Amino acid sequence: LFAYDLDAVARRAAELQAGLPEGARLYYSFKANPLPAIARELRVAGVRAEITSAGELMAAQNAGFETDIVLGGPGKTEKVIQTALSQGVRTFSCESFTDATRISKLAQQAGVEVSVMLRVNPAQAPDARLAMSGVESQFGFDETLLLAAGAAERLKLPGLKLCGVHVYFGTQVASVEALAKNTQCALETAVRVSEAVGFECAVINAGGGFPWPYASDAAAPDLSGLREALDAVWKASPLHGKAQLCFESGRYLSASSGTLLT
């Protein structure tokens, strides 16, 4: 059986929040571990919910999450979107023009308006052990598509309000320097994309990739100096003071809590 230590979950949440710029929001990626007991501990700690499926939505609701749930992921089917809308989810991370059209159609059918972050795959390669951007990928719009002529018109869809940009570079980012560099790139990408597409960028989800060893006895990562490094990057951005900065984490928040007993 797996035994979970909820005190470890609370410690990780407190550590990571202490390393983020003041006012930044932290989301828990349910795909890391949707166990409601873990999610409930994170909700109490002020962490919000980022989901990718109807099952994860149910787990979030079982953990007491009611509002400020974000649905993302490149595999959103009509059924998943319909379920989310019927359960009050009003913020989506959008991966493609097809995704945007699908969300728009279903939002109109439901008679609601939803806020949409454009998930962008920047051309710049990240500093991460598992990269999810900088190469052709199913994760997000290639940045060149959004900077091209005609992109703005294709995204003027009924029922959608473009509110921000989401960039997730990869996972297990190994150092404070790399985390700060990736965040800076995410902020620069948000400025370029919002200006090209023509909307006010009110939210930037700069991803995360905060590292934590698992299936090993390696030492916990040293993230000392993270807040200072991220603060410097954030305050240098033209979006500082105008937009909400967000981060997401799954492995860092949950991996240290589980022990397999055999």
Side-chain angles (χ1 to χ4, degrees):
L1 60 89
F2 261 109
Y4 289 99
D5 178 358
L6 296 182
D7 287 341
V9 176
R11 284 195 299 273
R12 296 293 88 76
E15 290 167 1
L16 192 49
Q17 287 171 318
L20 302 181
E22 184 177 358
R25 292 179 182 170
L26 179 61
Y27 284 81
Y28 177 53
S29 297
F30 266 68
K31 58 184 171 288
N33 189 329
L35 190 70
I38 289 178
R40 191 176 301 113
E41 195 72 32
L42 292 168
R43 177 181 58 78
V44 170
V47 181
R48 302 170 192 231
E50 187 267 326
I51 61 169
T52 58
S53 70
E56 290 177 8
L57 174 58
M58 185 184 300
Q61 292 172 327
N62 287 342
F65 288 92
E66 297 177 355
T67 59
D68 204 16
I69 297 172
V70 175
L71 176 68
K76 293 189 290 292
T77 62
E78 287 199 359
K79 184 176 180 181
V80 168
I81 297 168
Q82 286 171 331
T83 299
L85 291 172
S86 71
Q87 296 299 310
V89 175
R90 294 293 182 267
T91 306
F92 291 77
S93 179
C94 179
E95 308 272 341
S96 65
F97 291 116
T98 299
D99 202 18
T101 301
R102 186 177 292 137
I103 296 169
S104 169
K105 181 184 79 169
L106 296 172
Q108 289 178 81
Q109 290 177 1
V112 300
E113 182 180 70
V114 298
S115 297
V116 167
M117 292 181 288
L118 300 177
R119 182 169 176 180
V120 185
N121 177 3
Q124 178 179 338
D127 190 338
R129 293 179 190 171
L130 175 59
M132 296 182 185
S133 66
V135 294
E136 191 171 326
S137 166
Q138 75 271 34
F139 296 105
F141 293 86
D142 283 349
E143 185 179 352
T144 53
L145 294 177
L146 293 175
L147 300 185
E153 291 302 316
R154 294 180 69 181
L155 290 169
K156 287 181 180 177
L157 296 168
L160 297 194
K161 179 183 178 181
L162 301 183
C163 68
V165 170
H166 175 196
V167 181
Y168 190 90
F169 287 99
T171 188
Q172 294 290 72
V173 179
S175 69
V176 166
E177 181 182 8
L179 288 164
K181 177 183 175 184
N182 289 352
T183 301
Q184 180 179 9
C185 182
L187 292 167
E188 292 169 350
T189 300
V191 171
R192 289 193 299 270
V193 167
S194 59
E195 289 179 351
V197 177
F199 66 92
E200 181 180 351
C201 187
V203 180
I204 309 101
N205 182 339
F210 304 104
W212 193 273
Y214 62 102
S216 76
D217 57 0
D222 180 9
L223 296 184
S224 56
L226 179 62
R227 183 165 194 168
E228 292 78 8
L230 293 178
D231 260 334
V233 167
W234 178 220
K235 289 177 180 177
S237 170
L239 295 172
H240 182 257
K242 302 177 182 178
Q244 174 68 58
L245 179 61
C246 304
F247 296 89
E248 61 189 69
S249 179
R251 182 178 289 110
Y252 185 95
L253 293 171
S254 64
S256 68
S257 65
T259 301
L260 178 62
L261 305 180
T262 64

